[in-house]
Amino acid sequence: MTAETNGPSAPVADPWPAPTANGPLDAVIALPGSKSLTARALVLAAVAAAPTELSGVLRSRDTDLMVAALTTLGARFERLDDAGTRQRVTPAPLPLPVTAGPDGEVRVDCGLAGTVMRFVPPLAALATAPVTFDGDDGARLRPLGPVLDALAALGAEVTWLGEPGHLPVHVGPGQGRLLAPASEPQRVTVDASGSSQFLSALLLAAPLVPGGLALTPTGHVPSLPHVAMTAASLRERGVVVDEPAPEAPEGGRTWTVHPGRPAGGAVAIEPDLSNAGPFLAAALVAGGSVTVPDWPASTTQAGDAWRDLLPRLGGRVTVAQADDGGLALTASGDGAACLTGIDADLSAVGELAPTVAALAALASANGRASRLTGIAHLRGHETNRLAALVTEIQRVGGAARETADGIEVDALPAGAALRPAVLETYADHRMATFASLLGLGIPGCEVVDVACTSKTLPDFPVMWSTLLTPRSGHPDREIGTSSPRDRDVPSRVQNEEAR
């Protein structure tokens, strides 16, 4: 089978030898801020009624692109620390005053960031002039049509400059209807079956529209926790959001956002619980334990599902109160030979699928089969993740196949074993962490373009290698110390940019 993806990663460097562990793990890893929450916080701060001070900001390619895009639309960002994890944001006035380049055109580079290519165009419909959006070659393959179809229905100017429904695209205020006085919410439908980001993008812009917006998805919406995250982010900044009842049928659910610019103030961003997955899963593969501090007691992040998923895959999860009153989540395991298969509907937490798939592939060598469902929308992510996952599992000797809405991994026959290989990443950060986790369980694997993890987790190779270093070899190490509490932790792995 050949993966229908963006194609193999560009040979920017020699493949990275995926490290293995010399013994059970015993580590604490502090993660940078959530990519999803950072994106929402940046957008809302850029259009707020007053300045905002953000802490815990993820510094990565995606978030740097978001800051650049919002700067083009008139917001100002000031770093309050060297790493940029604390920022002061001065919002733009309405209509958003765009900044043209030397050629007189207003352009936004989306890179490969779904949040930039989907969250920012609705703001361009509230700007003083049209904006042209484009990005990496891979971004031109990602679906975009539904959110811009909804904008066009509301009177915005939308001109496709290439294949309809995909970047590049020209977006502007058009008839100006979105800023016209109104006493009632404007109503619009959106097909969000391809990505919950289509719905979230419109929700984020909705409070800026006089009268607000009433948004009705026409069918199934994957990753609903991300929509709940968007609604919660709006509410936390004083915006009134009416959500549909959980029992409302698909096609009959309406989110109504009332008008009113988000409040400014201080906003703290939670650690990225999705990115916690590969590190926590490493404890199941290598044995031992990995702890993530500052785990939120209540959160809208999809990564909170690790509490349920890792025990189903053969691990153990405990949550304990730390000395500072916060929570710390610890995953522990007995090694790859103890991994079990899983039958899981991941429709609400699709971003966790690559890590689950890596554990499922390793479990197949134990005679355990797995089935992951509800993730058809992953075909439209940074790459076609379903095809990529199946291709790479097959590359190491596993038996996997795509289904209509997911993948299946068959149990290997007795005596069969997985084999090392050079694993492709398809310029997809989650495929790179998937490959690294496979390499942890299959000595001798190499990972092409591991640097693509910079999209959401800068310095991942260092974090991963240090995680797997025996604690006895570095009894006094303090990596990424950022607070007095950190200095009490004997073994810490932290992204250097999170300092």
Side-chain angles (χ1 to χ4, degrees):
M1 171 186 172
T2 300
E4 296 177 5
T5 63
N6 295 344
S9 307
V12 294
D14 292 336
W16 180 62
T20 55
N22 294 324
L25 306 183
D26 181 10
V28 177
I29 177 163
L31 292 164
S34 160
K35 177 179 77 79
S36 297
L37 286 171
T38 295
R40 288 158 175 79
L42 290 171
V43 169
L44 293 176
V47 297
T52 303
E53 288 197 7
L54 302 175
S55 59
V57 174
L58 170 68
R59 288 298 318 287
S60 69
R61 186 188 182 212
D62 273 23
T63 52
D64 287 349
L65 287 166
M66 179 66 83
V67 167
L70 296 172
T71 299
T72 298
L73 296 184
R76 299 202 312 273
F77 296 81
E78 176 189 0
R79 293 187 184 185
L80 302 179
D81 62 359
D82 290 341
T85 61
R86 293 178 56 241
Q87 297 197 24
R88 179 178 175 86
V89 186
T90 302
L94 278 178
L96 301 174
V98 298
T99 301
D103 59 358
E105 294 292 321
V106 183
R107 292 187 173 87
V108 164
D109 177 13
C110 302
L112 195 54
T115 49
V116 179
M117 64 185 284
R118 291 159 179 166
F119 288 4
V120 181
L123 300 181
L126 304 170
T128 56
V131 180
T132 298
F133 294 85
D134 202 357
D136 296 356
D137 289 344
R140 292 185 171 194
L141 302 176
R142 302 188 71 177
L144 181 60
V147 68
L148 295 191
D149 290 345
L151 287 178
L154 290 166
E157 172 194 351
V158 176
T159 305
W160 301 107
L161 303 178
E163 180 184 353
H166 299 269
L167 294 176
V169 66
H170 196 65
V171 183
Q175 305 168 17
R177 180 173 141 199
L178 282 171
L179 288 175
S183 58
E184 296 291 334
Q186 297 190 55
R187 297 187 173 275
V188 69
T189 60
V190 58
D191 177 6
S193 59
S195 174
S196 65
Q197 288 181 353
F198 299 152
L199 180 55
S200 286
L202 297 167
L203 289 171
L204 289 170
L208 308 180
V209 177
L213 289 179
L215 305 164
T216 303
T218 55
H220 174 70
V221 181
S223 302
L224 272 173
H226 282 89
V227 179
M229 176 188 290
T230 304
S233 296
L234 288 162
R235 283 200 194 93
E236 288 165 3
R237 290 154 184 79
V239 177
V240 178
V241 183
D242 300 329
E243 294 184 81
E247 63 273 13
E250 292 182 351
R253 300 173 176 174
T254 297
W255 280 257
T256 301
V257 181
H258 297 263
R261 296 187 74 164
V267 175
I269 297 169
E270 297 171 359
D272 195 317
L273 306 188
S274 295
N275 273 337
F279 299 97
L280 295 170
L284 277 64
V285 177
S289 66
V290 173
T291 297
V292 175
D294 302 321
W295 199 275
S298 177
T299 182
T300 54
Q301 289 193 65
D304 200 44
W306 291 126
R307 299 189 196 215
D308 169 66
L309 290 170
L310 294 177
R312 294 170 63 188
L313 285 154
R316 297 177 296 279
V317 171
T318 58
V319 179
Q321 192 165 24
D323 292 341
D324 65 356
L327 297 181
L329 184 142
T330 298
S332 56
D334 300 313
C338 296
L339 290 171
T340 61
I342 190 171
D343 189 336
D345 178 355
L346 301 179
S347 56
V349 293
E351 67 199 65
L352 310 186
T355 295
V356 175
L359 294 176
L362 295 172
S364 72
N366 301 332
R368 304 299 185 95
S370 295
R371 182 176 64 162
L372 311 182
T373 60
I375 49 176
H377 61 287
L378 297 191
R379 293 185 171 98
H381 277 236
E382 282 83 344
T383 189
N384 179 339
R385 281 188 184 156
L386 298 189
L389 289 169
V390 167
T391 297
E392 300 310 306
I393 291 172
Q394 290 178 346
R395 199 186 301 277
V396 296
R401 59 187 168 277
E402 287 187 63
T403 63
D405 72 339
I407 66 171
E408 294 178 345
V409 182
D410 293 337
L412 294 182
L418 300 173
R419 59 178 181 265
V422 177
L423 298 167
E424 294 288 350
T425 57
Y426 309 92
D428 185 333
H429 58 128
R430 299 212 190 275
M431 288 303 301
T433 54
F434 157 86
S436 301
L437 195 55
L438 275 188
L440 176 59
I442 310 170
C445 285
E446 295 180 291
V447 181
V448 174
D449 189 22
V450 72
C452 70
T453 51
S454 65
K455 176 180 170 66
T456 58
L457 198 57
D459 219 18
F460 168 79
V462 172
M463 296 173 70
W464 190 251
S465 298
T466 310
L467 174 80
L468 305 178
T469 301
R471 180 173 168 180
S472 59
H474 299 271
D476 299 318
R477 68 179 180 179
E478 293 183 3
I479 300 175
T481 299
S482 60
S483 70
R485 181 179 62 81
D486 290 344
R487 290 192 288 273
D488 295 330
V489 178
S491 173
R492 173 168 294 277
V493 180
Q494 183 167 0
N495 175 1
E496 294 292 338
E497 287 219 353
R499 290 195 228 185

PDB file of all heavy atoms in Angstrom, residues 31-46:
ATOM      1  N   LEU A  31       5.658  20.267  30.346  1.00  0.00           N
ATOM      2  CA  LEU A  31       5.348  20.536  28.938  1.00  0.00           C
ATOM      3  C   LEU A  31       5.036  22.005  28.703  1.00  0.00           C
ATOM      4  O   LEU A  31       4.536  22.694  29.594  1.00  0.00           O
ATOM      5  CB  LEU A  31       4.157  19.685  28.501  1.00  0.00           C
ATOM      6  CG  LEU A  31       4.439  18.187  28.440  1.00  0.00           C
ATOM      7  CD1 LEU A  31       3.144  17.411  28.389  1.00  0.00           C
ATOM      8  CD2 LEU A  31       5.310  17.853  27.239  1.00  0.00           C
ATOM      9  N   PRO A  32       5.307  22.489  27.503  1.00  0.00           N
ATOM     10  CA  PRO A  32       4.906  23.859  27.154  1.00  0.00           C
ATOM     11  C   PRO A  32       3.389  23.957  27.022  1.00  0.00           C
ATOM     12  O   PRO A  32       2.670  22.972  27.146  1.00  0.00           O
ATOM     13  CB  PRO A  32       5.609  24.089  25.814  1.00  0.00           C
ATOM     14  CG  PRO A  32       5.770  22.726  25.234  1.00  0.00           C
ATOM     15  CD  PRO A  32       5.988  21.809  26.404  1.00  0.00           C
ATOM     16  N   GLY A  33       2.916  25.164  26.766  1.00  0.00           N
ATOM     17  CA  GLY A  33       1.484  25.412  26.715  1.00  0.00           C
ATOM     18  C   GLY A  33       0.780  24.688  25.592  1.00  0.00           C
ATOM     19  O   GLY A  33       1.370  24.322  24.577  1.00  0.00           O
ATOM     20  N   SER A  34      -0.515  24.505  25.773  1.00  0.00           N
ATOM     21  CA  SER A  34      -1.363  23.845  24.779  1.00  0.00           C
ATOM     22  C   SER A  34      -1.395  24.641  23.478  1.00  0.00           C
ATOM     23  O   SER A  34      -1.654  25.847  23.482  1.00  0.00           O
ATOM     24  CB  SER A  34      -2.778  23.709  25.332  1.00  0.00           C
ATOM     25  OG  SER A  34      -3.727  23.516  24.308  1.00  0.00           O
ATOM     26  N   LYS A  35      -1.155  23.951  22.370  1.00  0.00           N
ATOM     27  CA  LYS A  35      -1.255  24.604  21.057  1.00  0.00           C
ATOM     28  C   LYS A  35      -2.668  25.096  20.804  1.00  0.00           C
ATOM     29  O   LYS A  35      -2.884  26.214  20.333  1.00  0.00           O
ATOM     30  CB  LYS A  35      -0.844  23.633  19.951  1.00  0.00           C
ATOM     31  CG  LYS A  35      -0.998  24.212  18.530  1.00  0.00           C
ATOM     32  CD  LYS A  35      -0.551  23.240  17.468  1.00  0.00           C
ATOM     33  CE  LYS A  35      -1.568  22.155  17.204  1.00  0.00           C
ATOM     34  NZ  LYS A  35      -2.684  22.637  16.335  1.00  0.00           N
ATOM     35  N   SER A  36      -3.658  24.260  21.102  1.00  0.00           N
ATOM     36  CA  SER A  36      -5.052  24.633  20.843  1.00  0.00           C
ATOM     37  C   SER A  36      -5.477  25.833  21.672  1.00  0.00           C
ATOM     38  O   SER A  36      -6.121  26.766  21.177  1.00  0.00           O
ATOM     39  CB  SER A  36      -5.969  23.437  21.126  1.00  0.00           C
ATOM     40  OG  SER A  36      -5.681  22.363  20.267  1.00  0.00           O
ATOM     41  N   LEU A  37      -5.130  25.816  22.970  1.00  0.00           N
ATOM     42  CA  LEU A  37      -5.495  26.942  23.824  1.00  0.00           C
ATOM     43  C   LEU A  37      -4.703  28.190  23.476  1.00  0.00           C
ATOM     44  O   LEU A  37      -5.231  29.304  23.537  1.00  0.00           O
ATOM     45  CB  LEU A  37      -5.289  26.563  25.292  1.00  0.00           C
ATOM     46  CG  LEU A  37      -6.329  25.608  25.875  1.00  0.00           C
ATOM     47  CD1 LEU A  37      -5.901  25.134  27.252  1.00  0.00           C
ATOM     48  CD2 LEU A  37      -7.704  26.271  25.946  1.00  0.00           C
ATOM     49  N   THR A  38      -3.424  28.028  23.098  1.00  0.00           N
ATOM     50  CA  THR A  38      -2.623  29.186  22.698  1.00  0.00           C
ATOM     51  C   THR A  38      -3.230  29.858  21.476  1.00  0.00           C
ATOM     52  O   THR A  38      -3.347  31.095  21.429  1.00  0.00           O
ATOM     53  CB  THR A  38      -1.171  28.770  22.405  1.00  0.00           C
ATOM     54  OG1 THR A  38      -0.556  28.305  23.606  1.00  0.00           O
ATOM     55  CG2 THR A  38      -0.361  29.937  21.864  1.00  0.00           C
ATOM     56  N   ALA A  39      -3.635  29.080  20.481  1.00  0.00           N
ATOM     57  CA  ALA A  39      -4.217  29.661  19.267  1.00  0.00           C
ATOM     58  C   ALA A  39      -5.469  30.462  19.599  1.00  0.00           C
ATOM     59  O   ALA A  39      -5.658  31.588  19.109  1.00  0.00           O
ATOM     60  CB  ALA A  39      -4.541  28.556  18.264  1.00  0.00           C
ATOM     61  N   ARG A  40      -6.339  29.894  20.421  1.00  0.00           N
ATOM     62  CA  ARG A  40      -7.574  30.600  20.784  1.00  0.00           C
ATOM     63  C   ARG A  40      -7.272  31.841  21.610  1.00  0.00           C
ATOM     64  O   ARG A  40      -7.893  32.898  21.417  1.00  0.00           O
ATOM     65  CB  ARG A  40      -8.509  29.639  21.527  1.00  0.00           C
ATOM     66  CG  ARG A  40      -9.126  28.585  20.600  1.00  0.00           C
ATOM     67  CD  ARG A  40      -9.596  27.350  21.351  1.00  0.00           C
ATOM     68  NE  ARG A  40     -10.289  26.405  20.464  1.00  0.00           N
ATOM     69  CZ  ARG A  40      -9.675  25.577  19.634  1.00  0.00           C
ATOM     70  NH1 ARG A  40      -8.355  25.565  19.558  1.00  0.00           N
ATOM     71  NH2 ARG A  40     -10.378  24.755  18.867  1.00  0.00           N
ATOM     72  N   ALA A  41      -6.313  31.725  22.531  1.00  0.00           N
ATOM     73  CA  ALA A  41      -5.974  32.868  23.366  1.00  0.00           C
ATOM     74  C   ALA A  41      -5.385  34.007  22.544  1.00  0.00           C
ATOM     75  O   ALA A  41      -5.690  35.187  22.792  1.00  0.00           O
ATOM     76  CB  ALA A  41      -5.000  32.441  24.452  1.00  0.00           C
ATOM     77  N   LEU A  42      -4.549  33.690  21.570  1.00  0.00           N
ATOM     78  CA  LEU A  42      -3.957  34.723  20.729  1.00  0.00           C
ATOM     79  C   LEU A  42      -5.028  35.450  19.915  1.00  0.00           C
ATOM     80  O   LEU A  42      -5.026  36.689  19.811  1.00  0.00           O
ATOM     81  CB  LEU A  42      -2.908  34.107  19.808  1.00  0.00           C
ATOM     82  CG  LEU A  42      -1.619  33.613  20.474  1.00  0.00           C
ATOM     83  CD1 LEU A  42      -0.766  32.834  19.476  1.00  0.00           C
ATOM     84  CD2 LEU A  42      -0.816  34.779  21.060  1.00  0.00           C
ATOM     85  N   VAL A  43      -5.950  34.688  19.318  1.00  0.00           N
ATOM     86  CA  VAL A  43      -7.007  35.307  18.511  1.00  0.00           C
ATOM     87  C   VAL A  43      -7.862  36.223  19.376  1.00  0.00           C
ATOM     88  O   VAL A  43      -8.147  37.380  19.013  1.00  0.00           O
ATOM     89  CB  VAL A  43      -7.863  34.222  17.833  1.00  0.00           C
ATOM     90  CG1 VAL A  43      -9.120  34.836  17.219  1.00  0.00           C
ATOM     91  CG2 VAL A  43      -7.066  33.498  16.758  1.00  0.00           C
ATOM     92  N   LEU A  44      -8.313  35.734  20.530  1.00  0.00           N
ATOM     93  CA  LEU A  44      -9.211  36.533  21.365  1.00  0.00           C
ATOM     94  C   LEU A  44      -8.493  37.753  21.931  1.00  0.00           C
ATOM     95  O   LEU A  44      -9.089  38.828  22.056  1.00  0.00           O
ATOM     96  CB  LEU A  44      -9.786  35.668  22.475  1.00  0.00           C
ATOM     97  CG  LEU A  44     -10.738  34.558  21.990  1.00  0.00           C
ATOM     98  CD1 LEU A  44     -11.181  33.684  23.145  1.00  0.00           C
ATOM     99  CD2 LEU A  44     -11.942  35.146  21.267  1.00  0.00           C
ATOM    100  N   ALA A  45      -7.218  37.611  22.267  1.00  0.00           N
ATOM    101  CA  ALA A  45      -6.463  38.767  22.754  1.00  0.00           C
ATOM    102  C   ALA A  45      -6.305  39.823  21.675  1.00  0.00           C
ATOM    103  O   ALA A  45      -6.329  41.025  21.952  1.00  0.00           O
ATOM    104  CB  ALA A  45      -5.097  38.317  23.259  1.00  0.00           C
ATOM    105  N   ALA A  46      -6.160  39.380  20.421  1.00  0.00           N
ATOM    106  CA  ALA A  46      -5.950  40.315  19.306  1.00  0.00           C
ATOM    107  C   ALA A  46      -7.186  41.149  19.008  1.00  0.00           C
ATOM    108  O   ALA A  46      -7.071  42.216  18.393  1.00  0.00           O
ATOM    109  CB  ALA A  46      -5.527  39.547  18.059  1.00  0.00           C
TER     110      ALA A  46
END
